[in-house]
Amino acid sequence: MALVEIKNLHKSFGSNHVLRGIDFTVEQGEVVCIIGPSGSGKSTLLRCANLLEVPQEGQVFVRGEDITDRDCHLDAARQQIGMVFQQFNLFPHLSVLANCTIAQTTVLKRSKAEAEKVARANLDRVGLNDKVTAYPMQLSGGQQQRVAIARALSMDPALMLFDEPTSALDPELVGDVLTVMRKLALDGMTMLVVTHEMAFAREVADRVVFMDGGVIVEQGPPSEVIGNPKEERTRTFLRRVL
Ligand code: ADP
Ligand code: MG
């Protein structure tokens, strides 16, 4: 069974028909990178995958459970999905450690001690075990993004969604975040990553999905989609970004 299966997904904002029938699966352990021009619906697709946006038509299955079904326990399904945004969205008034424990104690009902143990392990994983008492403002953008990754990991997600996680960073800070993501991928984490980092997609992705105009134009191994695209629209896009 696929970890995530999306069937005939349609999403409109008013008269703007943004997703026009997306069919798509992510297998356990797979790293899928989504590429495509601005406005093609990449963020909307990620947000529909955990129902931050409710699609007008179509279904999203997580481990076989239809999370678009009204009877589905959405919070339980969502807990399996971690999300990392372009803007890190940390709580500014909470320390790094508290940012990584708050959802564990409130949502998962873990004890403070247990939550801190998990948080410290994940902060260690992203190379920030020396920053537990710092506040977000005291950190660089790259460090803040790594805290956001540690926070998401602390919920033990089955799937991690990344929406352009390095786009808001100064160029010299991008590498640290990509290194953490590369390590996560090697550890077997299932990841769905919207990115403009073609070198990362080429190296880390098992599959690359090219979206344009709310549809998947082509998908396959990076060597094909980036290295030798079949579709003219993909070639045009790659000429602009490579
Ligand atoms: P991408 O991430 O590929 O740049 P998006 O999914 O962000 O594309 O946006 C696709 C289209 O949907 C754009 O035309 C955008 O203006 C529109 N859109 C996205 N989110 C909203 C929203 N919350 N309300 C209205 N329109 C939206
Ligand atoms: Mg986007």
Side-chain angles (χ1 to χ4, degrees):
M1 185 196 301
L3 183 57
V4 180
E5 182 170 13
I6 291 174
K7 282 188 178 167
N8 191 34
L9 198 70
H10 287 263
K11 176 68 186 175
S12 300
F13 297 103
S15 60
N16 187 5
H17 192 177
V18 174
L19 298 180
R20 299 168 173 254
I22 301 277
D23 291 286
F24 170 65
T25 60
V26 184
E27 302 294 334
Q28 178 84 44
E30 217 183 0
V31 177
V32 179
C33 285
I34 303 177
I35 62 173
S38 180
S40 56
K42 305 180 299 294
S43 294
T44 304
L45 175 58
L46 279 201
R47 294 169 63 79
C48 284
N50 62 0
L51 252 57
L52 286 175
E53 297 286 357
V54 181
Q56 275 85 11
E57 200 184 320
Q59 292 160 303
V60 178
F61 296 88
V62 176
R63 290 200 166 119
E65 187 183 9
D66 182 358
I67 67 169
T68 48
D69 188 302
R70 270 191 291 136
D71 293 332
C72 161
H73 186 7
L74 184 55
D75 289 340
R78 257 195 205 135
Q79 273 169 33
Q80 303 183 57
I81 305 175
M83 185 148 182
V84 173
F85 303 88
Q86 182 174 337
Q87 301 299 339
F88 330 119
N89 297 343
L90 298 176
F91 299 113
H93 60 293
L94 296 181
S95 70
V96 164
L97 189 64
N99 263 283
C100 296
T101 56
I102 185 157
Q104 293 189 68
T105 51
T106 56
V107 179
L108 301 183
K109 310 293 181 202
R110 286 181 183 153
S111 71
K112 187 160 177 265
E114 169 69 8
E116 289 189 353
K117 194 175 124 202
V118 173
R120 283 175 193 276
N122 284 306
L123 287 165
D124 194 41
R125 214 168 161 188
V126 302
L128 289 176
N129 50 4
D130 57 337
K131 296 289 182 194
V132 287
T133 60
Y135 283 80
M137 245 178 51
Q138 299 168 314
L139 303 178
S140 73
Q143 290 170 330
Q144 290 187 51
Q145 191 59 299
R146 286 185 282 148
V147 174
I149 293 171
R151 177 177 63 177
L153 290 174
S154 294
M155 300 297 281
D156 297 332
L159 168 73
M160 286 281 284
L161 306 177
F162 292 87
D163 193 358
E164 298 195 31
T166 60
S167 295
L169 300 177
D170 291 334
E172 76 271 21
L173 303 176
V174 168
D176 289 345
V177 172
L178 292 180
T179 298
V180 164
M181 292 172 63
R182 197 177 287 117
K183 210 165 70 181
L184 267 187
L186 287 173
D187 286 349
M189 176 60 75
T190 311
M191 297 163 56
L192 186 50
V193 184
V194 174
T195 187
H196 294 294
E197 297 288 338
M198 292 302 146
F200 175 84
R202 244 182 210 270
E203 183 200 330
V204 179
D206 298 303
R207 183 152 50 94
V208 173
V209 171
F210 173 68
M211 275 182 75
D212 193 13
V215 298
I216 292 175
V217 175
E218 69 177 295
Q219 58 177 313
S223 57
E224 287 173 20
V225 176
I226 300 176
N228 187 21
K230 288 191 197 70
E231 301 294 331
E232 186 51 42
R233 279 202 274 178
T234 318
R235 281 188 222 120
T236 305
F237 171 75
L238 288 170
R239 266 198 298 274
R240 277 191 278 126
V241 298
L242 285 180

